[in-house]
Amino acid sequence: MNSIFDKIREQVHGIVEKAFRACEEKGVLPPVQISEVFVEVPRERGFGDFSTNIAMQVSKQTRMPPRKTAELLLNEFDYSGTYIERAEIAGPGFINFFLKRDWLYDCLRLIQEKKERYGEVDLGKGLKVNVEFVSANPTGPLHMGNARGGALGDCLASVLEKAGYDVTREFYINDAGNQIEKFGMSLEARYMQIILGEDKVSFPEDGYHGEDIIQHARDYYDMYGDSLVDKPSEERRRILVDFALPRNIQKMRETLSAYGIEYDVWFSEKTLHDNGEVKRVVDYLTEKGYTVEKDGAIWLNGEKLGLEKDEVLIRSNGVPTYMAADIAYHYNKLVTRGFDLAIDLWGADHHGHVARMKAAMTPFGLKKEQLEVVLFQLVRLFRNGELARMSKRTGKAIALEDLLEEVGRDAARFFFNLKSAGSHLDFDLDLAVRQSNDNPVYYVQYAHARICSLLRKLKEEGITGRPIDEVDLTLLKENEELELIRKLSEYPEEVALAAKTFEPSRLTRYVMEVAAGFHSFYNACRVKGGEEELMMARLILVDCTRIVIKNILELIRIDAPERM
RNA sequence: GUGCCAGUAGCUCAGCUGGAUAGAGCAACGGACUUCUAAUCCGUCGGUCGGGUGUUCGAAUCAUCUCUGGCACGCCA
C-alpha cells in the first residue's frame, strides 16, 4: 500500500457497494449502476473525515430524493474491518464518514516504513515518457521563459518519476535551420565590423543584436585574427558558427546544471537532417497523400488532417522548415525510440503549433494523446515597476545566469514553480532580488531546519526516537497534531494529482501547507522536556514531517538545510 | 477578423472529474518568546467568483453570449 487515502477509498467503496446490494435484495432500491464512488475530504471538520456524494449521483436511478437514498444505504452499512466509526447524512444528501484515529496513526506507520519512498504511487506502470523542456535556441543566453519552462519541466519529470513513469529528460538542440543562419550572419557581421570598422559593415536587420554575439566574434578574432576576411562568406559563417555554437551549448549546460537541471539526452536537430530522417518522414507523408505541392513547395495537407490551413514542410528552395524537422523529431521519439508518451513544454506563444503537431502524428499510426504539450504562459519582467522586454535580439534581457546569481537557485526554482503553468507570471526583479524573508522558500526551508535542529538538540541530550512499534501513538490527540498528520497523509494523493494534471506546482504549494502545519504544531506543542511517552510519540510525528518535507524539496531540487 | 489562455479579497494566486457557509499567502490592524530557532504562531479586517443567459436537485467549476487583458495566426521558430 502506498497511500492511506487509497485504503479508505477502497473501504468506502466496499461498504457502499454492499449496501446497495443489500437494498436491492430487500427491494427498497432498484438495481443501481455505480461506476466510481467519489470520496473526498469535506471542507469542514464537522462534516467528518471523508464524505461521499454517491446518493446524489444515483438520484436519477433510484428516483428518490438523495437524502432518502442515503438513509436506506446507511441502514445497511457494515463498518467491520474498516477505519470507519460512524456515518451521518448531511446537507442535500452527503454521507459523511467519521473515522477512528487509527487511520492517522497508520499513516505515520506508513511514512516510517516507506521513508523517502513515501509518496510514490503507481500511476505510470513503468510507461516510458520523454519530457522535453527548455530546448532554447543555442543562439544566445537562456532567458526568463527558459527559466520557467526549465523549472516546470524538470519538476514535472520528477513528479512523473514519483508517480511510477520511466522518465527521460531531454533537451532538443535547434542546431539547424533559419535561426542558425541568422546566427551565422550576425557573427559574420560582428567579425567583419571588428576588422573593417563598425560603420563599414551593416548589421542584418533581423540578426541577433546581443552582446554575446560581439563577444564570440571578438574571441574568435583574438584567437585567429583576420584569417576569415578573404574566405567566401558561406565558409566564413560556417566556421564562426562552428566556433560559437558549441560554446553556447556548453554554456547552456553549465547554466542549467547550476539551475539544478540534468538532462538524460541532448538531442541534436542537425542529426535528423544529416541522417535523412526529415526527408524520410516527409516522403512518407507524401506517399500517403498527406502533402500537397503548391508554388514549388511541399505543404502538409491541412484539410486531410482536420487543420485550419496547410503548412509548409519543404520550402521552394528545397530547405525543410522547422515544422518538418519537428515532425521527424517526434516521430523519432515515439517510433524510433519507442517512447509511450512524449511531453513537450512550450511557451504559450507556440500554442498554435500544438494542434498541428498532434495531427501530424496520426499518419504514422500514433495517437494524438501520445504527444502532450504543456503550455506555460510567458514571464513578464518588471524592473523599477516597468515592463522589461525579454527578447534575445535586443540583448537587453536578463539572463537565467544573472537571475541565479542574484536570487539563487532555490528561490528561482521555487518561484517559477509556485503558480500553475497556465497563469501569467509577473517577475518583479526588484522583489526577487531582495533577499527578504517574505520569500516563501525560506518558510519551508525553515521548517526543515527547525526539525533538524530539534532532533539535533535532543540527540545532544542523549534522546533518540524509538522504533514506531514501541511508541504509543494514541497520545497524539491535540488538534495541531492531528491536522499535521492529515496533511502528511495527503502527499501520495498530491503526487498523483500533480502527475495527472501535469501540474508540478501543486507540490510546491503543498509543501508550504506541510510547513505551515508543522509551524502551528511547533508553537502549540512541546516535544522536548515533557512526559517521555508523549515526547516519543511527537518525535515520530516530527520525523515523519521531516521525511515529507525533505522528500518534496529533493523532488523539486531545492536545498533542505539542516540549520539556518 | 479567427483561434488559444486568463479574469476569484487591496495585491499574487489555490479551488481536483459540478456539491455543503468560496480558501491561502502578502498587505493592514491587534496579540504571543524565563522553556525545542519569533525566518514562527494566534486573531481581526477583507468577495455581487468580470457580466448575462442556459443545463441541474445543486454552478467559481459545464454550455452559450458578451466585456477586458495576454498570445498566436509567416516558404519564422
Side-chain angles (χ1 to χ4, degrees):
Chain A
M1 186 197 44
N2 293 319
S3 157
I4 297 284
F5 270 57
D6 283 344
K7 197 167 178 178
I8 290 165
R9 252 195 296 267
E10 270 170 39
Q11 293 182 357
V12 170
H13 191 96
I15 287 171
V16 168
E17 196 152 81
K18 260 196 242 167
F20 268 115
R21 271 207 303 273
C23 288
E24 190 186 329
E25 270 167 37
K26 285 187 180 173
V28 294
L29 278 181
V32 169
Q33 284 288 346
I34 43 173
S35 50
E36 192 180 348
V37 180
F38 293 113
V39 178
E40 59 179 15
V41 179
R43 205 171 45 247
E44 304 267 330
R45 263 314 150 248
F47 294 146
D49 299 299
F50 292 88
S51 77
T52 179
N53 60 355
I54 189 70
M56 282 117 91
Q57 296 281 339
V58 300
S59 66
K60 278 228 174 71
Q61 293 185 63
T62 59
R63 275 171 309 195
M64 57 178 76
R67 285 190 70 104
K68 177 73 181 159
T69 308
E71 228 169 89
L72 292 168
L73 290 173
L74 204 72
N75 288 334
E76 303 300 332
F77 279 173
D78 173 13
Y79 307 132
S80 56
T82 73
Y83 289 122
I84 299 162
E85 196 167 56
R86 64 193 170 87
E88 283 177 1
I89 299 164
F94 288 100
I95 302 172
N96 295 333
F97 295 97
F98 294 79
L99 273 58
K100 289 174 270 189
R101 278 187 194 147
D102 294 0
W103 78 279
L104 292 170
Y105 305 139
D106 279 353
C107 176
L108 296 179
R109 292 188 182 96
L110 181 66
I111 297 171
Q112 287 294 313
E113 181 201 323
K114 299 272 180 179
K115 298 278 185 195
E116 69 277 359
R117 301 197 61 175
Y118 175 63
E120 288 180 3
V121 290
D122 190 20
L123 209 68
K125 317 267 184 223
L127 232 59
K128 281 183 67 182
V129 181
N130 181 292
V131 183
E132 182 219 321
F133 55 101
V134 181
S135 299
N137 272 320
T139 50
L142 296 163
H143 54 64
M144 288 299 143
N146 302 137
R148 188 176 193 190
L152 287 172
D154 193 41
C155 293
L156 176 58
S158 298
V159 163
L160 292 173
E161 277 170 345
K162 195 93 185 157
Y165 291 87
D166 177 5
V167 178
T168 298
R169 289 174 172 80
E170 184 154 320
F171 188 110
Y172 182 51
I173 309 169
N174 299 116
D175 52 1
N178 235 330
Q179 302 295 321
I180 296 298
E181 292 298 316
K182 281 187 203 168
F183 187 51
M185 277 160 49
S186 307
L187 287 165
E188 178 185 38
R190 292 304 188 201
Y191 175 79
M192 296 306 272
Q193 279 177 348
I194 291 169
I195 295 160
L196 303 175
E198 251 180 75
D199 312 338
K200 298 282 189 291
V201 183
S202 65
F203 193 79
E205 191 64 31
D206 54 350
Y208 294 112
H209 290 78
E211 265 318 298
D212 52 308
I213 301 290
I214 298 172
Q215 194 58 49
H216 283 309
R218 193 174 303 281
D219 288 349
Y220 187 90
Y221 178 77
D222 288 348
M223 289 159 102
Y224 306 106
D226 58 5
S227 57
L228 298 181
V229 170
D230 299 324
K231 297 261 201 278
S233 175
E234 197 179 320
E235 190 181 346
R236 191 157 55 212
R237 289 179 196 174
R238 187 179 53 73
I239 289 171
L240 284 167
V241 167
D242 285 349
F243 171 77
L245 200 59
R247 286 165 46 127
N248 274 357
I249 294 168
Q250 183 54 30
K251 188 82 203 167
M252 288 197 302
R253 277 179 193 262
E254 285 166 12
T255 305
L256 288 166
S257 182
Y259 194 36
I261 298 175
E262 302 292 344
Y263 286 97
D264 301 302
V265 178
W266 288 75
F267 194 96
S268 156
E269 176 186 349
K270 195 161 176 292
T271 61
L272 291 170
H273 292 93
D274 292 349
N275 69 18
E277 261 190 284
V278 175
K279 188 178 183 308
R280 273 202 300 281
V281 162
V282 175
D283 286 349
Y284 175 87
L285 288 171
T286 301
E287 211 174 286
K288 296 286 174 185
Y290 284 97
T291 64
V292 288
E293 210 172 327
K294 202 166 51 181
D295 305 327
I298 295 174
W299 303 65
L300 186 68
N301 188 334
E303 197 186 342
K304 189 158 180 179
L305 289 166
L307 298 170
E308 284 177 16
K309 55 190 178 67
D310 296 344
E311 299 292 333
V312 175
L313 294 179
I314 308 287
R315 299 186 184 88
S316 50
N317 64 6
V319 178
T321 60
Y322 135 98
M323 174 91 196
D326 228 14
I327 294 172
Y329 177 43
H330 287 91
Y331 174 87
N332 179 284
K333 283 190 205 172
L334 293 169
V335 179
T336 311
R337 283 188 283 158
F339 284 101
D340 298 299
L341 175 65
I343 301 175
D344 292 0
L345 280 98
W346 295 347
D349 53 338
H350 290 78
H351 67 77
H353 193 52
V354 176
R356 294 201 281 274
M357 273 313 300
K358 285 181 163 239
M361 292 294 100
T362 57
F364 300 98
L366 296 165
K367 296 195 192 80
K368 284 183 183 178
E369 299 81 57
Q370 284 179 268
L371 171 61
E372 273 296 336
V373 180
V374 175
L375 294 173
F376 56 92
Q377 294 298 321
L378 296 185
V379 179
R380 294 196 306 173
L381 282 176
F382 284 87
R383 196 196 288 278
N384 302 324
E386 273 178 26
L387 185 63
R389 283 265 155 225
M390 42 176 271
S391 163
K392 269 183 202 172
R393 295 169 193 181
T394 63
K396 281 178 194 159
I398 185 169
L400 171 56
E401 222 186 333
D402 303 326
L403 182 79
L404 291 177
E405 199 175 305
E406 286 169 12
V407 306
R409 188 191 74 171
D410 290 348
R413 285 186 73 112
F414 202 90
F415 195 85
F416 281 122
N417 237 310
L418 203 49
K419 295 170 187 177
S420 68
S423 66
H424 292 272
L425 180 57
D426 289 344
F427 202 117
D428 184 336
L429 286 168
D430 307 309
L431 182 75
V433 163
R434 216 182 303 143
Q435 283 273 11
S436 63
N437 47 12
D438 53 356
N439 195 331
V441 68
Y442 294 127
Y443 184 81
V444 176
Q445 289 181 322
Y446 181 55
H448 185 264
R450 235 180 179 183
I451 292 171
C452 292
S453 167
L454 168 56
L455 296 176
R456 197 165 50 234
K457 203 141 254 174
L458 286 167
K459 203 171 178 184
E460 280 165 14
E461 294 179 21
I463 303 166
T464 51
R466 287 190 210 136
I468 194 164
D469 299 341
E470 298 165 25
V471 174
D472 182 8
L473 296 172
T474 63
L475 295 171
L476 299 174
K477 51 194 173 199
E478 294 300 324
N479 197 40
E480 287 81 0
E481 294 168 325
L482 300 175
E483 288 302 312
L484 178 54
I485 306 173
R486 272 179 214 280
K487 192 47 78 180
L488 298 178
S489 76
E490 291 169 12
Y491 184 35
E493 199 68 6
E494 284 295 327
V495 172
L497 279 169
K500 276 184 198 164
T501 57
F502 302 117
E503 204 55 86
S505 62
R506 287 191 74 95
L507 288 186
T508 315
R509 291 190 293 270
Y510 169 73
V511 75
M512 288 175 73
E513 289 173 11
V514 174
F518 172 74
H519 286 312
S520 292
F521 157 79
Y522 186 89
N523 275 276
C525 307
R526 287 195 59 79
V527 178
K528 184 166 161 274
E531 197 269 320
E532 171 150 10
E533 291 307 309
L534 179 60
M535 177 169 70
M536 287 302 161
R538 286 181 172 166
L539 261 176
I540 292 285
L541 174 56
V542 166
D543 189 54
C544 286
T545 308
R546 182 190 60 78
I547 289 169
V548 172
I549 292 177
K550 184 155 203 296
N551 201 306
I552 298 173
L553 289 179
E554 271 178 5
L555 189 136
I556 56 184
R557 284 201 180 74
I558 285 173
D559 189 41
E562 296 192 359
R563 53 183 87 214
M564 282 172 79

